[in-house]
């Protein structure tokens, strides 16, 4: 074989009447460019998807497919560009009903071919395996490895059922439309937008191509499509266009919104509906289909002259796009082996064969062979053994259900058997994900008081960049709330015309109206989570504008705003998160007549007092290292703050029910006289000091009352702090700058990944009822096996190939914090293989987070970030698992994955 197997791992098993297979010894697989070549038959198993360029000679197409009529705008565009629009796609080839087992593969000795003998079929068939054309794979799965590669619109059974090829909205997008692109700072430009043949990429450029090179975006990167003027940009600058002509594309990560206006209502409707359908189709795609489509896009980019044939030079270019630095001699040999026609061009089945050779997953073939035996087909009983070793439900009914769900071959499914393709489909699905799928929905007790939960919280939510000269935007609130944030901050200052504004005082940040912020919160608060949202008000307004704030909140939020204590509950006790679709106000409150004072002498929020001290300290540091002119200009900024800002208006005070902001009275007094509905804020510095000096007492305090921790006052770059040490002390509202990516935000995303990403996570019992015993210590062993399709870091430099390594980090109590990493693999970001085991001991697993990081090794400078994934240790599943990597800003890097084996053992 051209890929050498590694020694199989795991315990050898034996059953009555069957001899345990002998496991041969062999060496690990070398790098791809050093592998010996061996011709692999067309149709060999184990490779997701058949790859063929659309329209290639000999490749099945869509005969007689009608071409959609061209619009006038597109005729203008084509006249200039000299291009031709083709709706690309292809149907699945009819497949044979006869089930045949693969004839080769890795994995050592096989068991006797019991399963195939039961069916009366041959093992080691000389013909390539085909899958039944009548199969309806799950979740948009492709029809096996030999049948359905093409554009997204054509790929898979789901696409065929949805009829996207003939869909009127998609056809209009393929022809192209002239849309006005509304700029964030005002003004608009008309651009020709057109969906590309892959069904995922949308390109746009000047009407007659007079602008710079075309720009593009992927449908996969769109978070939401909003109709009408539902964005800050369109509300400000879109008045010239009818509302029904307008729509907004909100992107994942940090990319700005794209505000668009069509020439007519019909065009806008086609684009909104078409994009929504394509987004749904993408979400329904399996991991194998995503891989197919990704490869298809690379093939299209590599085919420079667009003749649907690949020369050796184009193949080398494609390999670099795939992050492979393959030796020229081996690449040439592989090319010639696949060039059956001998014309020095790969086309049709030749190109499919070449891609199959690249896309093989030998580690999965070995794993499959270890359980299936020599017949290379898994029976339900053999799948039971695999499930048992995975630590999952290993009942016979569960094994049969998995075969019914994931097996692609209809005949095998009827016989309750699983082929290699079905096994790969299963491992690449959500069922093979490292995250426990039960934790992707709300599974925790949500009836406990708010103080018993970690609550996803944002600091300076209004900022899109740094807090010195960044832009304030209502879109920042929308992004935070859609990311699961349940506590947002509003810094409120006196505005002109009697309207309060939100911005970062004493800085150059822009201002937004308080009213606009509340409207955005109303529209987005419960899109992703139904659980309550807390508005943390930092009030610098006078009594008059405070009353205006109260009027705006009552008028805009309506019944969503909680203004009275819950009936039937003690008003001094905190409610539970079951207070669904309600918005709570955190702020200062006038003392009630019946309340007895408890030493509170100031209405000033302690955060304001502390920030003043910290800003003075930070400004002194900045003066030492910053130009005098810029500091003088910064110091000249005097935000409009009323003289009576330290007072509270009765209207605003009445809206504060359960989250009354008070100065911290000290742990001793707070523990003697607990006030659950009062909460204090701590800077990260003060929180660390409390943890160091009185950690156990702070844990007891946080079991009864809410506390909020925020970053230091005047950090130039809006940097974050490590939230884990605050969670260790039971702090609920650990506020971070959501606009600043980094490992801190990775930890925050991982902490709130379980429980349906609802923004509330139940704290461990030891933090809810201290002092309590934690879980038993764990020995955690993670075998890093392979990575797949890592992204290129430098797309502009074709010869740039990553040298990846994997680092696993444990974040928890100080005694558990540790990190280990693999060796780096030279010049292979496509399918590097490590087979290295990293070992950890975890003393408090209920608090631990596990972060998987892939970086590009550099011997002369800092390593470059490639991707990461973070999750709580209690949500991590054992066994063979795929990890789907995320970018620095949290967006998916699909189809990039890690393949690992996880084993936990109590000590």
């Amino acid at each position: 074989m051209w890929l050498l197997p590694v020694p199989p791992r795991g315990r050898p098993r034996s059953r009555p009447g069957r001899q345990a297979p002998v496991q041969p010894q062999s060496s690990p697989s070398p790098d791809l460019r050093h592998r010996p070549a061996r011709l692999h038959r067309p149709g060999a198993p184990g490779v997701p998807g058949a790859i063929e360029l659309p329209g290639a000679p000999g490749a099945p197409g869509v005969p007689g497919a009608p071409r959609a009529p061209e619009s006038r705008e597109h005729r203008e565009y084509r006249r200039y560009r000299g291009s031709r629009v083709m709706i690309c796609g292809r149907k699945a080839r009819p497949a044979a009903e006869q089930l045949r087992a693969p004839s080769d593969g890795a994995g050592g000795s096989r068991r006797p071919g019991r399963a195939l003998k039961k069916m009366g079929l041959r093992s080691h068939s000389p013909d390539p395996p085909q899958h039944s054309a009548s199969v309806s794979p799950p979740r948009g799965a492709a029809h096996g490895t030999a049948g359905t590669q093409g554009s997204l619109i054509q790929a898979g059974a789901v696409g065929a059922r949805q009829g996207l090829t003939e869909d009127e909205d998609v056809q209009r997008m393929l022809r192209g439309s002239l849309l006005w692109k509304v700029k964030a700072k005002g003004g608009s430009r008309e651009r020709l937008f057109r969906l590309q043949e892959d069904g995922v990429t949308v390109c746009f450029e000047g009407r007659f191509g007079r602008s710079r090179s075309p720009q593009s975006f992927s449908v996969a990167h769109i978070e939401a499509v909003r109709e009408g003027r539902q964005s800050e940009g369109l509300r400000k600058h879109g008045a010239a266009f009818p509302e029904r002509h307008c729509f907004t594309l909100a992107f994942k990560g940090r990319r700005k919104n794209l505000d668009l206006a069509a020439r007519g209502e019909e065009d806008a409707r086609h684009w909104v509906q078409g994009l929504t359908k394509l987004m749904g189709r993408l979400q329904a795609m399996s991991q194998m289909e995503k891989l197919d489509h990704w490869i298809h896009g690379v093939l299209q980019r590599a085919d420079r002259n667009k003749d649907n044939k690949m020369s050796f030079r184009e193949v080398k270019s494609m390999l670099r796009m795939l992050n492979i630095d393959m030796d020229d001699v081996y690449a040439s040999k592989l090319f010639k082996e696949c060039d059956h026609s001998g014309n020095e061009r790969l086309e049709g089945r030749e190109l499919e064969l070449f891609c199959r050779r690249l896309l093989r997953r030998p580690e999965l073939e070995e794993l499959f062979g270890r359980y299936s035996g020599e017949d290379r087909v898994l029976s339900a009983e053999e799948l039971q053994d695999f499930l048992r070793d995975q630590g999952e439900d290993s009942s016979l009914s569960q094994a049969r259900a998995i075969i019914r769900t994931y097996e692609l071959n209809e005949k095998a499914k009827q016989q309750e058997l699983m082929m290699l393709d079905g096994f790969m489909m299963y491992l690449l699905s959500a069922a093979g994900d490292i995250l426990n799928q039960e934790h992707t929905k709300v599974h925790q007790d949500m009836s406990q008081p708010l103080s018993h939960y970690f609550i996803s919280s944002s600091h300076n939510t209004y900022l899109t960049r740094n807090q010195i000269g960044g832009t304030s935007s209502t879109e920042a609130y929308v992004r935070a709330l859609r990311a699961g944030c349940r506590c947002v901050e509003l810094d409120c200052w006196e505005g002109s015309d009697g309207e309060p504004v939100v911005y970062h005082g004493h800085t150059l940040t822009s201002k937004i109206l308080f009213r606009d912020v509340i409207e955005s919160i109303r529209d987005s608060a419960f899109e992703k989570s139904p659980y309550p949202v807390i508005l943390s008000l930092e009030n610098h307004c006078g009594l008059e504008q405070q009353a205006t704030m109260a009027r705006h909140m009552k008028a805009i939020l309506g019944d969503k705003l909680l203004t009275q204590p819950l009936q039937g509950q003690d008003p001094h006790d905190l409610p539970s998160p079951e207070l669904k679709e309600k918005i709570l106000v955190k702020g200062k409150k006038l003392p009630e007549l019946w309340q007895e004072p408890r030493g509170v002498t100031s209405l000033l929020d302690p955060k304001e007092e502390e920030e003043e001290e910290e800003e003075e300290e930070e400004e002194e540091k900045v003066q030492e290292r910053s130009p005098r002119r810029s500091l003088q200009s910064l110091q000249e900024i005097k935000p409009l703050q009323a003289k009576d800002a330290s007072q509270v208006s009765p209207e605003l005070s009445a809206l504060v029910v359960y989250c009354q902001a008070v100065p911290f009275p000290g742990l001793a007094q707070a523990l003697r006289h607990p006030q659950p509905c009062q909460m204090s804020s701590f800077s990260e510095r003060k929180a660390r000091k409390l943890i160091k000096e009185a950690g156990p007492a702070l844990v007891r305090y946080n079991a009864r009352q809410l506390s909020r921790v925020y970053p230091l006052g005047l950090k130039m770059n809006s940097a974050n702090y490590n939230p884990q040490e605050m969670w260790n002390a039971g702090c609920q509202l650990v506020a971070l700058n959501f606009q600043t990516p980094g490992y801190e935000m990775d930890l925050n995303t991982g902490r709130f990944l379980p429980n349906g990403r609802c923004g509330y996570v139940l704290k461990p019992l030891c933090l809810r009822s201290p002092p309590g015993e934690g879980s038993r210590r764990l020995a955690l062993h993670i075998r890093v096996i392979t990575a797949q399709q890592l992204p290129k870091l430098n797309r502009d430099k074709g010869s740039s190939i990553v040298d990846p390594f994997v680092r696993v980090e444990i974040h928890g109590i100080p005694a558990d914090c540790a990190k280990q990493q693999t060796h780096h693999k030279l010049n292979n970001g496509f399918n590097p293989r490590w087979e290295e085991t990293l070992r950890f001991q975890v003393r408090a697993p209920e608090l631990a987070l596990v972060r998987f990081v892939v970086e590009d090794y550099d011997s002369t400078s800092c390593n470059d970030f490639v991707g990461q994934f973070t999750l709580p240790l209690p949500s991590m599943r054992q066994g063979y698992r795929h990890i789907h990597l995320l970018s620095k800003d949290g967006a998916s890097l699909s189809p990039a994955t890690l393949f690992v084996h996880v084993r936990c053992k109590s000590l």
Side-chain angles (χ1 to χ4, degrees):
M1 293 189 60
W2 68 286
L3 284 172
L4 299 178
V6 300
R9 298 175 184 258
R11 59 179 179 86
R13 302 177 328 284
S14 61
R15 281 180 274 164
R18 176 176 292 194
Q19 184 177 357
V22 179
Q23 306 292 3
Q25 298 297 322
S26 55
S27 58
S29 171
D31 287 344
L32 182 61
R33 62 188 187 282
H34 299 309
R35 293 171 180 146
R38 179 180 183 272
L39 181 60
H40 201 64
R41 288 190 331 279
V47 184
I51 312 296
E52 293 188 19
L53 283 176
V62 185
R67 178 174 299 174
E70 289 184 317
S71 63
R72 176 177 57 82
E73 297 94 331
H74 189 264
R75 283 198 298 271
E76 294 174 353
Y77 167 76
R78 188 163 61 81
R79 204 174 291 125
Y80 175 81
R81 301 290 291 177
S83 62
R84 171 181 289 177
V85 176
M86 297 178 64
I87 300 178
C88 159
R90 51 172 296 232
K91 293 179 179 176
R93 293 196 299 272
E97 283 289 328
Q98 178 71 25
L99 173 67
R100 298 182 177 90
S103 63
D104 60 356
S109 299
R110 313 291 182 228
R111 297 176 179 173
R114 177 178 66 175
L116 283 182
K117 289 175 183 176
K118 290 180 181 178
M119 299 172 59
L121 300 175
R122 301 192 308 270
S123 61
H124 305 294
S125 168
D127 299 321
Q130 301 289 343
H131 297 296
S132 169
S134 62
V135 178
S136 296
R139 298 178 179 86
H143 282 270
T145 63
T148 55
Q149 179 54 42
S151 68
L152 167 65
I153 302 167
Q154 290 280 2
V158 171
R161 287 197 298 270
Q162 290 179 344
L164 292 182
T165 327
E166 305 300 327
D167 185 86
E168 181 183 0
D169 299 321
V170 174
Q171 287 217 7
R172 176 64 66 91
M173 295 169 64
L174 285 162
R175 292 197 298 269
S177 302
L178 287 170
L179 304 174
W180 291 94
K181 182 174 177 287
V182 181
K183 296 183 177 180
K185 296 183 179 180
S188 56
R189 300 283 184 186
E190 198 169 38
R191 297 283 183 260
L192 179 62
F193 284 74
R194 183 168 73 88
L195 177 68
Q196 301 301 292
E197 297 165 0
D198 63 359
V200 173
T201 308
V202 176
C203 288
F204 59 97
E205 58 181 316
R207 178 173 171 181
F208 298 107
R210 289 193 294 263
S211 66
R212 56 192 180 191
S213 59
Q215 296 176 278
S216 66
F217 61 85
S218 172
V219 177
H221 295 159
I222 300 176
E223 174 78 22
V225 182
R226 307 182 207 159
E227 294 185 77
R229 299 194 193 100
Q230 293 191 52
S231 72
E232 188 176 40
L234 283 174
R235 281 194 291 264
K236 284 184 178 179
H237 309 296
F241 305 99
E243 183 163 5
R244 293 189 175 183
H245 296 191
C246 300
F247 61 97
T248 297
L249 306 184
F251 292 95
K252 301 172 184 176
R254 303 184 72 192
R255 181 168 179 166
K256 294 180 180 178
N257 290 350
L258 189 57
D259 295 320
L260 301 171
R263 287 187 169 186
E265 183 180 340
E266 184 181 2
D267 249 2
R269 187 178 67 253
H270 282 308
W271 276 87
V272 170
Q273 294 177 353
L275 287 170
T276 303
K277 291 171 186 174
L278 291 174
M279 289 165 60
R281 174 71 184 96
L282 270 172
Q283 191 172 4
M285 286 176 70
S286 68
Q287 179 70 10
M288 295 175 76
E289 275 193 300
K290 291 176 183 178
L291 174 59
D292 291 347
H293 202 269
W294 177 71
I295 288 288
H296 176 76
V298 173
L299 289 171
Q300 285 189 321
R301 294 198 305 272
D303 185 19
R304 296 177 181 175
N305 57 5
K306 307 304 177 187
D307 63 350
N308 293 333
K309 301 178 183 180
M310 299 285 283
S311 65
F312 180 69
R313 183 178 179 184
E314 289 173 327
V315 165
K316 284 288 290 182
S317 174
M318 180 190 75
L319 292 174
R320 286 191 292 269
M321 291 179 185
L322 292 174
N323 233 341
I324 307 174
D325 184 18
M326 188 181 290
D327 178 78
D328 282 349
V329 175
Y330 175 64
S332 176
K333 185 174 183 180
L334 184 60
F335 182 90
K336 291 176 181 177
E337 288 174 350
C338 297
D339 183 18
H340 296 162
S341 62
N343 62 356
E344 298 185 352
R345 295 287 190 276
L346 298 184
E347 51 185 311
R349 286 184 177 274
E350 297 171 342
L351 189 56
E352 174 184 329
L353 173 60
F354 186 84
C355 289
R356 286 179 176 280
R357 298 284 295 274
L358 295 177
L359 288 171
R360 285 187 58 199
R361 293 284 302 275
E363 75 279 15
L364 295 187
E365 293 178 22
E366 295 161 15
L367 181 61
F368 181 77
R370 200 176 312 150
Y371 286 89
S372 65
E374 65 183 22
D375 54 25
R376 302 288 291 166
V377 176
L378 271 179
S379 65
E381 293 80 6
E382 289 166 331
L383 183 56
Q384 272 188 282
D385 289 344
F386 175 75
L387 295 174
R388 188 178 300 111
D389 291 347
Q390 290 279 90
E392 298 183 18
D393 177 7
S394 57
S395 64
L396 189 59
S397 60
Q398 174 67 7
R400 289 169 175 165
I402 289 174
I403 291 174
R404 286 194 301 270
T405 304
Y406 297 100
E407 177 51 46
L408 306 176
N409 185 289
E410 195 65 27
K411 184 156 186 144
K413 190 184 299 186
Q414 292 170 3
Q415 299 281 346
E416 294 184 346
L417 298 171
M418 178 173 270
M419 300 287 287
L420 177 57
D421 288 338
F423 185 70
M424 292 179 66
M425 180 71 75
Y426 167 64
L427 285 178
L428 285 166
S429 72
D433 196 274
I434 194 167
L435 176 66
N436 187 335
Q437 294 304 291
E438 290 297 316
H439 294 190
T440 60
K441 52 192 176 186
V442 176
H443 67 281
Q444 295 179 338
D445 178 9
M446 302 299 286
S447 62
Q448 302 193 30
L450 290 175
S451 58
H452 286 188
Y453 297 85
F454 295 127
I455 304 173
S456 180
S457 305
S458 166
H459 176 68
N460 289 349
T461 313
Y462 45 87
L463 290 178
T464 58
R465 291 198 311 248
N466 66 68
Q467 59 188 30
I468 300 301
T471 303
S472 303
S473 172
T474 59
E475 290 298 325
Y477 287 91
V478 176
R479 289 177 182 266
L481 291 167
R482 285 183 170 166
C485 180
R486 297 290 88 188
C487 178
V488 295
E489 183 181 33
L490 294 81
D491 280 351
C492 307
W493 297 81
E494 291 270 307
S496 57
D497 301 325
E499 286 292 335
V501 295
V502 174
Y503 85 112
H504 198 260
H506 307 285
T507 67
L508 296 169
T509 57
S510 60
K511 302 174 183 178
I512 50 179
L513 290 176
F514 177 84
R515 179 182 64 239
D516 292 344
V517 171
I518 298 301
E519 288 178 350
S520 296
I521 292 172
R522 174 199 62 193
D523 296 339
S524 306
F526 305 110
E527 280 189 21
K528 298 295 183 181
S529 171
Y531 293 99
V533 170
I534 300 172
L535 306 185
S536 179
L537 299 183
E538 301 303 334
N539 178 22
H540 306 272
C541 296
L543 294 177
E544 184 178 343
Q545 292 202 13
Q546 287 182 42
T548 302
M549 291 165 55
R551 286 196 302 272
H552 283 328
M553 285 191 283
K554 292 175 75 173
I556 295 170
L557 299 178
D559 293 340
K560 294 180 179 178
L561 183 66
L562 185 72
T563 58
Q564 297 292 333
L566 297 179
Q567 293 183 356
Q569 179 178 315
D570 188 336
H572 298 94
D573 292 337
L574 284 171
S576 75
E578 289 293 351
L579 198 64
K580 291 184 178 179
E581 298 202 359
K582 290 294 183 180
I583 294 176
L584 285 65
V585 175
K586 173 226 161 201
K588 293 172 284 188
K589 189 174 179 67
L590 293 172
E592 302 288 349
L593 295 177
W594 50 267
Q595 284 184 333
E596 295 181 6
R598 294 192 180 273
V600 178
T601 58
S602 171
L603 283 176
L604 277 175
D605 191 315
K607 176 178 176 183
E608 295 172 18
E609 298 172 347
E610 291 168 359
E611 279 193 343
E612 288 177 3
E613 298 172 1
E614 288 166 0
E615 285 173 4
E616 291 175 2
E617 180 180 338
E618 292 288 336
E619 283 176 1
E620 289 176 1
K621 295 178 182 178
V622 171
Q623 286 177 358
E624 297 176 0
R625 58 179 183 265
S626 300
R628 182 174 300 176
R629 182 177 300 176
S630 62
L631 274 171
Q632 289 175 349
S633 63
L634 184 61
Q635 291 167 350
E636 288 171 3
I637 301 171
K638 294 182 180 179
L640 187 59
Q641 181 174 2
K643 293 180 180 179
D644 56 356
S646 62
Q647 304 176 27
V648 182
S649 74
E651 297 89 343
L652 190 59
S653 173
L655 301 184
V656 178
V657 181
Y658 287 116
C659 300
Q660 179 184 353
V662 298
F664 183 57
L667 283 172
Q669 181 175 339
L671 291 174
R672 280 196 306 268
H673 306 286
Q675 298 288 324
C677 294
Q678 294 182 358
M679 60 181 295
S680 300
S681 296
F682 309 96
S683 70
E684 57 176 290
R685 179 184 299 154
K686 184 169 183 179
R688 287 196 190 99
K689 184 179 179 182
L690 282 171
I691 292 170
K692 183 177 180 180
E693 296 177 353
L698 183 60
V699 170
R700 293 198 302 275
Y701 169 82
N702 284 326
R704 294 289 305 274
Q705 295 184 221
L706 293 172
S707 62
R708 183 175 185 270
V709 183
Y710 58 91
L712 285 175
L714 225 166
K715 290 186 176 180
M716 300 286 287
N717 58 353
S718 292
N720 282 313
Y721 56 93
N722 185 345
Q724 183 65 48
E725 52 188 328
M726 314 305 172
W727 290 324
N728 291 342
C731 299
Q732 300 88 355
L733 299 154
V734 181
L736 297 177
N737 291 295
F738 272 47
Q739 76 275 16
T740 307
Y743 87 92
E744 301 92 348
M745 275 305 300
D746 294 342
L747 297 182
N748 191 77
T749 302
R751 173 63 65 198
F752 295 99
L753 186 64
N755 211 28
R757 303 189 185 191
C758 71
Y760 287 83
V761 171
L762 189 64
K763 296 196 294 187
L765 182 61
C766 60
L767 297 180
R768 304 196 308 267
S769 301
E773 293 185 4
S775 302
R776 294 183 61 184
R777 290 194 307 160
L778 286 181
L780 174 64
H781 295 178
I782 298 176
R783 177 155 60 98
V784 181
I785 304 173
T786 57
Q788 295 76 41
Q789 293 81 51
L790 300 176
K792 283 182 70 70
L793 300 181
N794 190 349
R795 292 185 176 274
D796 297 331
K797 188 176 180 182
S799 60
S800 173
I801 309 292
V802 299
D803 303 328
F805 67 90
V806 178
R807 183 173 65 249
V808 178
E809 304 170 354
I810 306 296
H811 297 265
I813 63 172
D816 288 343
C817 293
K819 60 181 69 174
Q820 294 184 40
Q821 67 187 47
T822 67
H823 295 87
H824 66 277
K825 291 292 179 180
L826 285 173
N827 294 327
N828 188 355
F830 185 71
N831 57 358
R833 187 165 184 169
W834 291 279
E835 292 286 358
E836 297 184 36
T837 300
L838 311 178
R839 295 175 171 84
F840 304 91
Q841 282 196 13
V842 185
R843 294 161 181 80
E846 66 275 12
L847 274 168
L849 293 170
V850 184
R851 183 170 182 251
F852 296 86
V853 189
V854 182
E855 290 187 354
D856 179 16
Y857 174 78
D858 195 320
S859 59
T860 59
S861 62
C862 293
N863 301 322
D864 292 321
F865 176 88
V866 176
Q868 69 85 32
F869 186 76
T870 307
L871 77 166
L873 180 55
S875 298
M876 191 166 69
R877 292 195 291 183
Q878 299 190 58
Y880 290 93
R881 303 295 175 188
H882 278 96
I883 300 170
H884 299 268
L885 296 176
L886 304 176
S887 66
K888 187 175 291 187
D889 59 9
S892 171
L893 290 176
S894 180
T897 56
L898 287 176
F899 186 54
V900 301
H901 182 268
V902 179
R903 184 162 58 91
C904 293
K905 182 180 179 182
S906 296
L907 296 178

